[in-house]
Amino acid sequence: MLATVLIGAFGIRMSRTTSDFYVASRTVSPLWNASAIGGEYLSAASFLGIAGLILTFGADMLWLPVGWTGGYLVLLVLVSAPLRRSGAYTLPDFAEARLESMTVRRLSSVLVVLIGWLYLMPQFQSAGLVFRTITGAPPWAGSLLVAVVVATNVLSGGMRSITFVQAFQYWLKLTALAVPLAFMLVAWWSDGTPGLAPGDEWALPLHGREHPVYETYSLILATFLGTMGLPHVLVRFYTNPDGRAARRTTLLVLTLLGAFYLMPAVYGYLGHVYGMPESDTVVIALPGRLVGGPVGEFLTALVTAGAFAAFLSTSSGLTVSVAGVIAQDILRGGVRAFRVATVLAVLVPLALAGAARSLPVATVVGLAFAVAASSFCPLLVLGIWWRRLTTAGAMAGLLAGGGLACAAVVVTITGGPHSGWAGSLLAQPAAWTVPVSFTVMVVVSLLTPSRVPRGVARTMVRLHTPETLNVDRGDWHPRYM
């Protein structure tokens, strides 16, 4: 935490303009940006939740890291470069630029804030769990501590400051998992490499849940398509100098995430082999269980530092994204508005974090992916690649897909987990809400051809023409610039 504050303070010296606060003046190199994306994307669910779910449910949960990494491949192929060329700073900016509609922009803003708050909740929830495991303090103390540090960094330096912090935190998280894992593998080898009992159902796919086939495919759909709809991920691509740099950044992100996600699966396996009881805290408890002594305590401290880096980095990125939207669309923009919005962006999910404590961290994050996949994924894919998308079609699709996914989330968080088919459909809604959103957008657009934006041809040129070509791209800018 001290390192985070010091690095954030360094960024303050370089943050002077509105552009610094929102997109670091679009000057971040691909390697710095990829490290920062890895830093903020590897959330509490990645650091703690994957290992916990693999420990609890076995092989099926391996789809989580595969999907969360593979989502960037979809992003690379379909979205990253055109989105950077759009000239937008946020998802609502893109919606306004592409559809020439303030109504679509406002609806997009509401969805960005809801997804951001839904993603921030498990970060604060996890901080409370880890703080309680380490110190015995009540969970709210850890949540409050992380919230204060995040708000301080974002208030002081905005996107430029957060970029330095998150790039550092990616490498801290990688080290915090890799070093203890090396010691634990030595201990496991010294124990005679104990493995699974014969016939252990833990290793069997599609086992141990009520409707495993549906839930697995719905999870895959949510993670693959939800990544492109996460506001704190997309805002990072606006900080690249151009579309080519955005694609290079995405390739580097795929490499960094692939290296990281190999390790939580091994933690989950070792946790099952050694009979660890707790799910969300298995990563914290395992080094002490396998290694023990002063070395085990040191490794536990290292993993704990990585966990707090996960809370801080993801929370910081989300807070920047949510605060940017609130500042632009509600408070009329500017540095002062951004700082007021930062406080609002942190307080609401901090207050709501207690309501989701009965659900695993990765499950709550998975719901945020489902909402993003059901709302912004169709808007981005059709908005970038289908010129016949109309304002009415975009509105209808966002309301149908995003609205149904949000309703499923509310029912799951407030009363879940539920059982039976209803519980599976609510806990993993992407398999039905994503098709609904795409279908509604296409059908309504075809029924309202007169609502195609007048400037769609120029917008398509701006999205798809490399920056090196000398063509007329128009002069659209976000309204607050």
Side-chain angles (χ1 to χ4, degrees):
M1 280 198 175
L2 179 61
T4 295
V5 173
L6 292 175
I7 295 171
F10 173 74
I12 297 172
R13 300 167 56 192
M14 304 176 68
S15 299
R16 293 290 181 270
T17 67
T18 300
S19 184
D20 282 335
F21 274 79
Y22 284 101
V23 289
S25 294
R26 300 187 190 272
T27 56
V28 182
S29 69
L31 182 58
W32 269 104
N33 221 1
S35 298
I37 289 173
E40 74 177 351
Y41 189 65
L42 297 174
S43 65
S46 298
F47 200 88
L48 303 177
I50 289 177
L53 287 180
I54 289 175
L55 165 66
T56 305
F57 296 108
D60 283 359
M61 295 298 112
L62 289 173
W63 280 109
L64 270 172
V66 172
W68 285 346
T69 307
Y72 276 92
L73 187 61
V74 183
L75 198 66
L76 169 68
V77 173
L78 297 177
V79 174
S80 60
L83 189 67
R84 169 60 189 88
R85 295 186 190 113
S86 69
Y89 277 44
T90 65
L91 272 167
D93 282 349
F94 172 81
E96 179 192 346
R98 170 62 179 84
L99 296 159
E100 301 171 12
S101 165
M102 291 305 296
T103 306
V104 179
R105 179 194 177 95
R106 293 189 186 98
L107 179 57
S108 300
S109 300
V110 171
L111 286 168
V112 164
V113 173
L114 289 177
I115 293 170
W117 282 345
L118 186 59
Y119 213 132
L120 273 166
M121 284 170 58
Q123 312 310 315
F124 296 145
Q125 177 191 358
S126 301
L129 286 174
V130 172
F131 202 63
R132 183 194 64 187
T133 302
I134 299 301
T135 67
W140 63 263
S143 303
L144 180 63
L145 180 63
V146 167
V148 169
V149 173
V150 167
T152 302
N153 264 343
V154 176
L155 282 169
S156 57
M159 180 61 85
R160 187 177 287 278
S161 176
I162 290 303
T163 296
F164 296 136
V165 171
Q166 290 175 332
F168 161 76
Q169 286 170 339
Y170 167 78
W171 295 104
L172 173 60
K173 281 184 275 191
L174 191 71
T175 305
L177 276 191
V179 172
L181 183 59
F183 279 86
M184 288 192 297
L185 288 175
V186 170
W188 173 71
W189 184 268
S190 302
D191 286 345
T193 63
L196 302 175
D200 192 335
E201 294 177 342
W202 180 87
L204 298 177
L206 305 179
H207 190 87
R209 291 174 294 161
E210 286 188 288
H211 303 286
V213 175
Y214 167 80
E215 291 192 11
T216 298
Y217 280 97
S218 190
L219 175 69
I220 293 171
L221 194 66
T223 52
F224 264 74
L225 300 183
T227 301
M228 74 172 66
L230 293 180
H232 71 301
V233 170
L234 290 180
V235 75
R236 278 261 156 232
F237 289 94
Y238 305 128
T239 64
N240 283 116
D242 51 39
R244 184 182 179 190
R247 282 205 171 100
R248 290 178 59 197
T249 296
T250 312
L251 282 173
L252 287 168
V253 170
L254 278 166
T255 304
L256 297 180
L257 294 185
F260 179 90
Y261 276 131
L262 291 174
M263 291 182 284
V266 182
Y267 273 79
Y269 171 78
L270 292 175
H272 179 72
V273 168
Y274 283 91
M276 299 298 291
E278 296 253 3
S279 57
D280 279 340
T281 56
V282 62
V283 172
I284 303 295
L286 202 56
R289 169 74 172 80
L290 266 69
V291 180
V295 176
E297 291 179 4
F298 169 76
L299 296 176
T300 299
L302 185 58
V303 175
T304 304
F308 272 92
F311 312 144
L312 292 171
S313 57
T314 303
S315 302
S316 299
L318 286 164
T319 301
V320 167
S321 302
V322 173
V325 170
I326 294 175
Q328 293 168 40
D329 294 302
I330 299 175
L331 304 178
R332 300 182 181 276
V335 173
R336 180 183 176 83
F338 183 85
R339 287 173 168 158
V340 173
T342 298
V343 177
L344 294 175
V346 170
L347 281 182
V348 173
L350 179 63
L352 295 175
R357 292 199 188 283
S358 62
L359 295 173
V361 171
T363 299
V364 181
V365 170
L367 290 171
F369 272 76
V371 176
S374 307
S375 53
F376 289 123
C377 170
L379 178 68
L380 286 167
V381 171
L382 295 177
I384 290 172
W385 298 102
W386 193 45
R387 60 181 297 157
R388 297 174 67 183
L389 178 67
T390 66
T391 306
M395 284 285 296
L398 287 174
L399 286 171
L404 288 171
C406 285
V409 168
V410 170
V411 173
T412 301
I413 288 180
T414 56
H418 300 280
S419 59
W421 262 111
S424 296
L425 292 171
L426 291 170
Q428 297 291 346
W432 55 280
T433 53
V434 172
V436 165
S437 184
F438 269 103
T439 302
V440 170
M441 270 193 199
V442 171
V443 170
V444 175
S445 294
L446 292 175
L447 292 175
T448 57
S450 62
R451 302 288 297 278
V452 173
R454 288 182 297 178
V456 65
R458 178 166 291 179
T459 302
M460 286 298 180
V461 169
R462 186 163 60 242
L463 294 179
H464 296 287
T465 306
E467 290 85 347
T468 52
L469 295 181
N470 183 22
V471 296
D472 182 5
R473 305 168 193 276
D475 57 354
W476 186 89
H477 292 289
R479 59 179 177 165
Y480 56 87
M481 293 298 292

